[in-house]
PDB file of all heavy atoms in Angstrom:
ATOM      1  N   GLU A  30     158.394  17.793 -20.672  1.00 84.00           N
ATOM      2  CA  GLU A  30     157.286  18.080 -21.570  1.00 84.00           C
ATOM      3  C   GLU A  30     157.373  17.214 -22.825  1.00 84.00           C
ATOM      4  O   GLU A  30     158.361  16.508 -23.049  1.00 84.00           O
ATOM      5  CB  GLU A  30     157.306  19.569 -21.959  1.00 84.00           C
ATOM      6  CG  GLU A  30     157.283  20.533 -20.779  1.00 84.00           C
ATOM      7  CD  GLU A  30     155.953  20.549 -20.044  1.00 84.00           C
ATOM      8  OE1 GLU A  30     154.939  20.107 -20.649  1.00 84.00           O
ATOM      9  OE2 GLU A  30     155.919  21.007 -18.886  1.00 84.00           O
ATOM     10  N   ASP A  31     156.329  17.289 -23.661  1.00 82.00           N
ATOM     11  CA  ASP A  31     156.297  16.464 -24.871  1.00 82.00           C
ATOM     12  C   ASP A  31     157.429  16.818 -25.827  1.00 82.00           C
ATOM     13  O   ASP A  31     158.037  15.920 -26.434  1.00 82.00           O
ATOM     14  CB  ASP A  31     154.952  16.642 -25.592  1.00 82.00           C
ATOM     15  CG  ASP A  31     153.786  16.049 -24.804  1.00 82.00           C
ATOM     16  OD1 ASP A  31     154.039  15.163 -23.958  1.00 82.00           O
ATOM     17  OD2 ASP A  31     152.636  16.479 -25.041  1.00 82.00           O
ATOM     18  N   ASP A  32     157.708  18.125 -25.955  1.00 81.00           N
ATOM     19  CA  ASP A  32     158.683  18.571 -26.958  1.00 81.00           C
ATOM     20  C   ASP A  32     160.080  18.823 -26.404  1.00 81.00           C
ATOM     21  O   ASP A  32     161.025  18.969 -27.173  1.00 81.00           O
ATOM     22  CB  ASP A  32     158.191  19.855 -27.627  1.00 81.00           C
ATOM     23  CG  ASP A  32     156.878  19.661 -28.355  1.00 81.00           C
ATOM     24  OD1 ASP A  32     156.672  18.550 -28.886  1.00 81.00           O
ATOM     25  OD2 ASP A  32     156.067  20.595 -28.384  1.00 81.00           O
ATOM     26  N   PHE A  33     160.197  18.888 -25.104  1.00 89.00           N
ATOM     27  CA  PHE A  33     161.497  19.217 -24.535  1.00 89.00           C
ATOM     28  C   PHE A  33     161.579  18.761 -23.078  1.00 89.00           C
ATOM     29  O   PHE A  33     160.567  18.485 -22.427  1.00 89.00           O
ATOM     30  CB  PHE A  33     161.767  20.727 -24.627  1.00 89.00           C
ATOM     31  CG  PHE A  33     160.866  21.569 -23.755  1.00 89.00           C
ATOM     32  CD1 PHE A  33     161.281  21.981 -22.491  1.00 89.00           C
ATOM     33  CD2 PHE A  33     159.604  21.950 -24.188  1.00 89.00           C
ATOM     34  CE1 PHE A  33     160.452  22.754 -21.683  1.00 89.00           C
ATOM     35  CE2 PHE A  33     158.771  22.729 -23.394  1.00 89.00           C
ATOM     36  CZ  PHE A  33     159.201  23.127 -22.136  1.00 89.00           C
ATOM     37  N   PHE A  34     162.803  18.726 -22.594  1.00 92.00           N
ATOM     38  CA  PHE A  34     163.102  18.466 -21.182  1.00 92.00           C
ATOM     39  C   PHE A  34     163.890  19.665 -20.682  1.00 92.00           C
ATOM     40  O   PHE A  34     164.801  20.149 -21.354  1.00 92.00           O
ATOM     41  CB  PHE A  34     163.923  17.184 -21.052  1.00 92.00           C
ATOM     42  CG  PHE A  34     164.306  16.825 -19.643  1.00 92.00           C
ATOM     43  CD1 PHE A  34     163.487  16.031 -18.861  1.00 92.00           C
ATOM     44  CD2 PHE A  34     165.501  17.282 -19.089  1.00 92.00           C
ATOM     45  CE1 PHE A  34     163.841  15.685 -17.566  1.00 92.00           C
ATOM     46  CE2 PHE A  34     165.854  16.953 -17.804  1.00 92.00           C
ATOM     47  CZ  PHE A  34     165.029  16.149 -17.035  1.00 92.00           C
ATOM     48  N   LEU A  35     163.524  20.180 -19.512  1.00 93.00           N
ATOM     49  CA  LEU A  35     164.199  21.364 -18.973  1.00 93.00           C
ATOM     50  C   LEU A  35     164.719  21.087 -17.573  1.00 93.00           C
ATOM     51  O   LEU A  35     163.973  20.650 -16.696  1.00 93.00           O
ATOM     52  CB  LEU A  35     163.238  22.553 -18.929  1.00 93.00           C
ATOM     53  CG  LEU A  35     163.717  23.801 -18.165  1.00 93.00           C
ATOM     54  CD1 LEU A  35     164.968  24.388 -18.812  1.00 93.00           C
ATOM     55  CD2 LEU A  35     162.617  24.855 -18.100  1.00 93.00           C
ATOM     56  N   ALA A  36     166.002  21.350 -17.380  1.00 95.00           N
ATOM     57  CA  ALA A  36     166.618  21.351 -16.048  1.00 95.00           C
ATOM     58  C   ALA A  36     166.804  22.800 -15.629  1.00 95.00           C
ATOM     59  O   ALA A  36     167.457  23.579 -16.334  1.00 95.00           O
ATOM     60  CB  ALA A  36     167.954  20.616 -16.078  1.00 95.00           C
ATOM     61  N   TRP A  37     166.220  23.161 -14.475  1.00 93.00           N
ATOM     62  CA  TRP A  37     166.186  24.551 -13.983  1.00 93.00           C
ATOM     63  C   TRP A  37     166.899  24.566 -12.642  1.00 93.00           C
ATOM     64  O   TRP A  37     166.454  23.938 -11.695  1.00 93.00           O
ATOM     65  CB  TRP A  37     164.729  24.975 -13.856  1.00 93.00           C
ATOM     66  CG  TRP A  37     164.435  26.316 -13.264  1.00 93.00           C
ATOM     67  CD1 TRP A  37     165.031  26.917 -12.209  1.00 93.00           C
ATOM     68  CD2 TRP A  37     163.407  27.227 -13.700  1.00 93.00           C
ATOM     69  NE1 TRP A  37     164.461  28.131 -11.949  1.00 93.00           N
ATOM     70  CE2 TRP A  37     163.455  28.340 -12.846  1.00 93.00           C
ATOM     71  CE3 TRP A  37     162.451  27.180 -14.715  1.00 93.00           C
ATOM     72  CZ2 TRP A  37     162.578  29.411 -12.996  1.00 93.00           C
ATOM     73  CZ3 TRP A  37     161.596  28.252 -14.856  1.00 93.00           C
ATOM     74  CH2 TRP A  37     161.659  29.351 -14.005  1.00 93.00           C
ATOM     75  N   ASP A  38     168.010  25.285 -12.566  1.00 96.00           N
ATOM     76  CA  ASP A  38     168.824  25.302 -11.355  1.00 96.00           C
ATOM     77  C   ASP A  38     169.038  26.744 -10.911  1.00 96.00           C
ATOM     78  O   ASP A  38     169.427  27.598 -11.710  1.00 96.00           O
ATOM     79  CB  ASP A  38     170.175  24.620 -11.619  1.00 96.00           C
ATOM     80  CG  ASP A  38     171.008  24.484 -10.372  1.00 96.00           C
ATOM     81  OD1 ASP A  38     170.449  24.170  -9.308  1.00 96.00           O
ATOM     82  OD2 ASP A  38     172.232  24.704 -10.454  1.00 96.00           O
ATOM     83  N   ASN A  39     168.764  27.033  -9.638  1.00 95.00           N
ATOM     84  CA  ASN A  39     168.923  28.382  -9.093  1.00 95.00           C
ATOM     85  C   ASN A  39     170.165  28.476  -8.218  1.00 95.00           C
ATOM     86  O   ASN A  39     170.489  27.532  -7.484  1.00 95.00           O
ATOM     87  CB  ASN A  39     167.713  28.762  -8.234  1.00 95.00           C
ATOM     88  CG  ASN A  39     166.422  28.772  -9.013  1.00 95.00           C
ATOM     89  OD1 ASN A  39     166.370  29.249 -10.141  1.00 95.00           O
ATOM     90  ND2 ASN A  39     165.365  28.227  -8.430  1.00 95.00           N
ATOM     91  N   GLU A  40     170.817  29.613  -8.267  1.00 96.00           N
ATOM     92  CA  GLU A  40     171.934  29.900  -7.369  1.00 96.00           C
ATOM     93  C   GLU A  40     171.690  31.258  -6.719  1.00 96.00           C
ATOM     94  O   GLU A  40     171.547  32.267  -7.421  1.00 96.00           O
ATOM     95  CB  GLU A  40     173.269  29.911  -8.113  1.00 96.00           C
ATOM     96  CG  GLU A  40     173.764  28.530  -8.506  1.00 96.00           C
ATOM     97  CD  GLU A  40     175.180  28.564  -9.060  1.00 96.00           C
ATOM     98  OE1 GLU A  40     175.821  29.645  -9.016  1.00 96.00           O
ATOM     99  OE2 GLU A  40     175.646  27.513  -9.541  1.00 96.00           O
ATOM    100  N   TYR A  41     171.620  31.276  -5.399  1.00 95.00           N
ATOM    101  CA  TYR A  41     171.366  32.508  -4.661  1.00 95.00           C
ATOM    102  C   TYR A  41     172.686  33.218  -4.388  1.00 95.00           C
ATOM    103  O   TYR A  41     173.669  32.606  -3.960  1.00 95.00           O
ATOM    104  CB  TYR A  41     170.649  32.199  -3.350  1.00 95.00           C
ATOM    105  CG  TYR A  41     170.277  33.430  -2.545  1.00 95.00           C
ATOM    106  CD1 TYR A  41     169.123  34.145  -2.825  1.00 95.00           C
ATOM    107  CD2 TYR A  41     171.094  33.872  -1.497  1.00 95.00           C
ATOM    108  CE1 TYR A  41     168.784  35.279  -2.099  1.00 95.00           C
ATOM    109  CE2 TYR A  41     170.758  34.994  -0.761  1.00 95.00           C
ATOM    110  CZ  TYR A  41     169.602  35.691  -1.067  1.00 95.00           C
ATOM    111  OH  TYR A  41     169.276  36.805  -0.348  1.00 95.00           O
ATOM    112  N   GLU A  42     172.699  34.542  -4.641  1.00 94.00           N
ATOM    113  CA  GLU A  42     173.881  35.344  -4.391  1.00 94.00           C
ATOM    114  C   GLU A  42     173.517  36.473  -3.432  1.00 94.00           C
ATOM    115  O   GLU A  42     172.379  36.614  -3.004  1.00 94.00           O
ATOM    116  CB  GLU A  42     174.436  35.896  -5.705  1.00 94.00           C
ATOM    117  CG  GLU A  42     174.845  34.801  -6.687  1.00 94.00           C
ATOM    118  CD  GLU A  42     175.456  35.363  -7.954  1.00 94.00           C
ATOM    119  OE1 GLU A  42     175.369  36.593  -8.172  1.00 94.00           O
ATOM    120  OE2 GLU A  42     176.005  34.569  -8.732  1.00 94.00           O
ATOM    121  N   GLU A  43     174.477  37.300  -3.093  1.00 91.00           N
ATOM    122  CA  GLU A  43     174.218  38.414  -2.184  1.00 91.00           C
ATOM    123  C   GLU A  43     173.308  39.435  -2.840  1.00 91.00           C
ATOM    124  O   GLU A  43     173.098  39.417  -4.060  1.00 91.00           O
ATOM    125  CB  GLU A  43     175.532  39.062  -1.759  1.00 91.00           C
ATOM    126  CG  GLU A  43     176.327  39.652  -2.896  1.00 91.00           C
ATOM    127  CD  GLU A  43     177.644  40.250  -2.441  1.00 91.00           C
ATOM    128  OE1 GLU A  43     178.008  40.101  -1.256  1.00 91.00           O
ATOM    129  OE2 GLU A  43     178.294  40.890  -3.286  1.00 91.00           O
ATOM    130  N   ASP A  44     172.724  40.317  -2.012  1.00 94.00           N
ATOM    131  CA  ASP A  44     171.826  41.379  -2.471  1.00 94.00           C
ATOM    132  C   ASP A  44     170.554  40.821  -3.109  1.00 94.00           C
ATOM    133  O   ASP A  44     169.984  41.431  -4.026  1.00 94.00           O
ATOM    134  CB  ASP A  44     172.529  42.313  -3.458  1.00 94.00           C
ATOM    135  CG  ASP A  44     173.669  43.087  -2.821  1.00 94.00           C
ATOM    136  OD1 ASP A  44     173.564  43.430  -1.624  1.00 94.00           O
ATOM    137  OD2 ASP A  44     174.672  43.341  -3.513  1.00 94.00           O
ATOM    138  N   ASP A  45     170.107  39.660  -2.624  1.00 96.00           N
ATOM    139  CA  ASP A  45     168.863  39.035  -3.094  1.00 96.00           C
ATOM    140  C   ASP A  45     168.854  38.786  -4.593  1.00 96.00           C
ATOM    141  O   ASP A  45     167.817  38.884  -5.260  1.00 96.00           O
ATOM    142  CB  ASP A  45     167.655  39.875  -2.681  1.00 96.00           C
ATOM    143  CG  ASP A  45     167.432  39.843  -1.176  1.00 96.00           C
ATOM    144  OD1 ASP A  45     167.478  38.742  -0.599  1.00 96.00           O
ATOM    145  OD2 ASP A  45     167.226  40.919  -0.578  1.00 96.00           O
ATOM    146  N   ILE A  46     170.007  38.435  -5.125  1.00 97.00           N
ATOM    147  CA  ILE A  46     170.141  38.080  -6.535  1.00 97.00           C
ATOM    148  C   ILE A  46     170.063  36.566  -6.680  1.00 97.00           C
ATOM    149  O   ILE A  46     170.679  35.821  -5.911  1.00 97.00           O
ATOM    150  CB  ILE A  46     171.465  38.603  -7.114  1.00 97.00           C
ATOM    151  CG1 ILE A  46     171.431  40.135  -7.198  1.00 97.00           C
ATOM    152  CG2 ILE A  46     171.741  38.014  -8.496  1.00 97.00           C
ATOM    153  CD1 ILE A  46     172.746  40.760  -7.627  1.00 97.00           C
ATOM    154  N   VAL A  47     169.298  36.118  -7.656  1.00 96.00           N
ATOM    155  CA  VAL A  47     169.220  34.702  -7.991  1.00 96.00           C
ATOM    156  C   VAL A  47     169.607  34.537  -9.454  1.00 96.00           C
ATOM    157  O   VAL A  47     169.051  35.218 -10.326  1.00 96.00           O
ATOM    158  CB  VAL A  47     167.814  34.131  -7.747  1.00 96.00           C
ATOM    159  CG1 VAL A  47     167.701  32.719  -8.323  1.00 96.00           C
ATOM    160  CG2 VAL A  47     167.489  34.109  -6.265  1.00 96.00           C
ATOM    161  N   LYS A  48     170.553  33.649  -9.712  1.00 96.00           N
ATOM    162  CA  LYS A  48     170.887  33.285 -11.081  1.00 96.00           C
ATOM    163  C   LYS A  48     170.166  31.988 -11.414  1.00 96.00           C
ATOM    164  O   LYS A  48     170.235  31.013 -10.674  1.00 96.00           O
ATOM    165  CB  LYS A  48     172.402  33.111 -11.256  1.00 96.00           C
ATOM    166  CG  LYS A  48     173.143  34.435 -11.346  1.00 96.00           C
ATOM    167  CD  LYS A  48     174.557  34.255 -11.853  1.00 96.00           C
ATOM    168  CE  LYS A  48     175.215  35.621 -12.099  1.00 96.00           C
ATOM    169  NZ  LYS A  48     176.606  35.464 -12.593  1.00 96.00           N
ATOM    170  N   ILE A  49     169.456  32.000 -12.525  1.00 94.00           N
ATOM    171  CA  ILE A  49     168.642  30.865 -12.947  1.00 94.00           C
ATOM    172  C   ILE A  49     169.285  30.256 -14.184  1.00 94.00           C
ATOM    173  O   ILE A  49     169.383  30.893 -15.232  1.00 94.00           O
ATOM    174  CB  ILE A  49     167.203  31.318 -13.258  1.00 94.00           C
ATOM    175  CG1 ILE A  49     166.591  32.017 -12.036  1.00 94.00           C
ATOM    176  CG2 ILE A  49     166.339  30.136 -13.695  1.00 94.00           C
ATOM    177  CD1 ILE A  49     165.286  32.731 -12.324  1.00 94.00           C
ATOM    178  N   TYR A  50     169.748  29.021 -14.047  1.00 94.00           N
ATOM    179  CA  TYR A  50     170.402  28.311 -15.142  1.00 94.00           C
ATOM    180  C   TYR A  50     169.386  27.377 -15.791  1.00 94.00           C
ATOM    181  O   TYR A  50     168.847  26.477 -15.139  1.00 94.00           O
ATOM    182  CB  TYR A  50     171.605  27.530 -14.633  1.00 94.00           C
ATOM    183  CG  TYR A  50     172.704  28.409 -14.075  1.00 94.00           C
ATOM    184  CD1 TYR A  50     172.697  28.800 -12.737  1.00 94.00           C
ATOM    185  CD2 TYR A  50     173.744  28.858 -14.887  1.00 94.00           C
ATOM    186  CE1 TYR A  50     173.703  29.610 -12.222  1.00 94.00           C
ATOM    187  CE2 TYR A  50     174.760  29.669 -14.374  1.00 94.00           C
ATOM    188  CZ  TYR A  50     174.731  30.042 -13.041  1.00 94.00           C
ATOM    189  OH  TYR A  50     175.720  30.846 -12.528  1.00 94.00           O
ATOM    190  N   LEU A  51     169.125  27.618 -17.073  1.00 93.00           N
ATOM    191  CA  LEU A  51     168.139  26.834 -17.807  1.00 93.00           C
ATOM    192  C   LEU A  51     168.843  26.001 -18.875  1.00 93.00           C
ATOM    193  O   LEU A  51     169.554  26.551 -19.728  1.00 93.00           O
ATOM    194  CB  LEU A  51     167.115  27.760 -18.475  1.00 93.00           C
ATOM    195  CG  LEU A  51     166.356  28.713 -17.554  1.00 93.00           C
ATOM    196  CD1 LEU A  51     165.538  29.693 -18.383  1.00 93.00           C
ATOM    197  CD2 LEU A  51     165.465  27.946 -16.599  1.00 93.00           C
ATOM    198  N   ASP A  52     168.648  24.701 -18.836  1.00 94.00           N
ATOM    199  CA  ASP A  52     169.186  23.805 -19.853  1.00 94.00           C
ATOM    200  C   ASP A  52     168.030  23.080 -20.525  1.00 94.00           C
ATOM    201  O   ASP A  52     167.374  22.223 -19.921  1.00 94.00           O
ATOM    202  CB  ASP A  52     170.153  22.794 -19.231  1.00 94.00           C
ATOM    203  CG  ASP A  52     171.475  23.429 -18.834  1.00 94.00           C
ATOM    204  OD1 ASP A  52     172.169  23.925 -19.727  1.00 94.00           O
ATOM    205  OD2 ASP A  52     171.795  23.430 -17.634  1.00 94.00           O
ATOM    206  N   PHE A  53     167.779  23.456 -21.798  1.00 92.00           N
ATOM    207  CA  PHE A  53     166.728  22.820 -22.588  1.00 92.00           C
ATOM    208  C   PHE A  53     167.321  21.665 -23.390  1.00 92.00           C
ATOM    209  O   PHE A  53     168.371  21.806 -24.020  1.00 92.00           O
ATOM    210  CB  PHE A  53     166.115  23.822 -23.571  1.00 92.00           C
ATOM    211  CG  PHE A  53     165.310  24.909 -22.934  1.00 92.00           C
ATOM    212  CD1 PHE A  53     165.910  26.097 -22.534  1.00 92.00           C
ATOM    213  CD2 PHE A  53     163.949  24.765 -22.744  1.00 92.00           C
ATOM    214  CE1 PHE A  53     165.168  27.115 -21.961  1.00 92.00           C
ATOM    215  CE2 PHE A  53     163.192  25.783 -22.168  1.00 92.00           C
ATOM    216  CZ  PHE A  53     163.807  26.954 -21.772  1.00 92.00           C
ATOM    217  N   PHE A  54     166.636  20.554 -23.395  1.00 94.00           N
ATOM    218  CA  PHE A  54     166.999  19.415 -24.228  1.00 94.00           C
ATOM    219  C   PHE A  54     165.817  19.173 -25.163  1.00 94.00           C
ATOM    220  O   PHE A  54     164.758  18.700 -24.743  1.00 94.00           O
ATOM    221  CB  PHE A  54     167.307  18.192 -23.371  1.00 94.00           C
ATOM    222  CG  PHE A  54     168.469  18.404 -22.434  1.00 94.00           C
ATOM    223  CD1 PHE A  54     168.273  18.967 -21.169  1.00 94.00           C
ATOM    224  CD2 PHE A  54     169.759  18.076 -22.817  1.00 94.00           C
ATOM    225  CE1 PHE A  54     169.344  19.177 -20.311  1.00 94.00           C
ATOM    226  CE2 PHE A  54     170.841  18.285 -21.959  1.00 94.00           C
ATOM    227  CZ  PHE A  54     170.631  18.839 -20.706  1.00 94.00           C
ATOM    228  N   VAL A  55     166.019  19.523 -26.440  1.00 90.00           N
ATOM    229  CA  VAL A  55     164.928  19.537 -27.410  1.00 90.00           C
ATOM    230  C   VAL A  55     165.100  18.384 -28.389  1.00 90.00           C
ATOM    231  O   VAL A  55     166.156  18.239 -29.030  1.00 90.00           O
ATOM    232  CB  VAL A  55     164.902  20.882 -28.178  1.00 90.00           C
ATOM    233  CG1 VAL A  55     163.728  20.913 -29.149  1.00 90.00           C
ATOM    234  CG2 VAL A  55     164.828  22.048 -27.194  1.00 90.00           C
ATOM    235  N   PHE A  56     164.066  17.564 -28.503  1.00 86.00           N
ATOM    236  CA  PHE A  56     164.121  16.388 -29.381  1.00 86.00           C
ATOM    237  C   PHE A  56     164.066  16.824 -30.841  1.00 86.00           C
ATOM    238  O   PHE A  56     163.195  17.598 -31.244  1.00 86.00           O
ATOM    239  CB  PHE A  56     162.948  15.456 -29.073  1.00 86.00           C
ATOM    240  CG  PHE A  56     163.029  14.129 -29.763  1.00 86.00           C
ATOM    241  CD1 PHE A  56     164.089  13.272 -29.510  1.00 86.00           C
ATOM    242  CD2 PHE A  56     162.052  13.750 -30.673  1.00 86.00           C
ATOM    243  CE1 PHE A  56     164.170  12.036 -30.145  1.00 86.00           C
ATOM    244  CE2 PHE A  56     162.123  12.527 -31.315  1.00 86.00           C
ATOM    245  CZ  PHE A  56     163.188  11.655 -31.047  1.00 86.00           C
TER     246      PHE A  56
END
């Protein structure tokens, strides 16, 4: 995006759990 860059990474675990890792890089 204009104001930031985002890397979004998902990790699936048991019991239909998803961990979402968000890394914002803000100018």
Side-chain angles (χ1 to χ4, degrees):
E30 304 290 341
D31 292 338
D32 299 327
F33 68 96
F34 179 90
L35 170 62
W37 175 319
D38 186 40
N39 299 318
E40 286 188 7
Y41 183 83
E42 299 183 349
E43 62 182 7
D44 295 326
D45 291 314
I46 291 174
V47 171
K48 283 194 173 180
I49 303 169
Y50 296 88
L51 303 172
D52 287 298
F53 291 89
F54 299 87
V55 182
F56 189 61

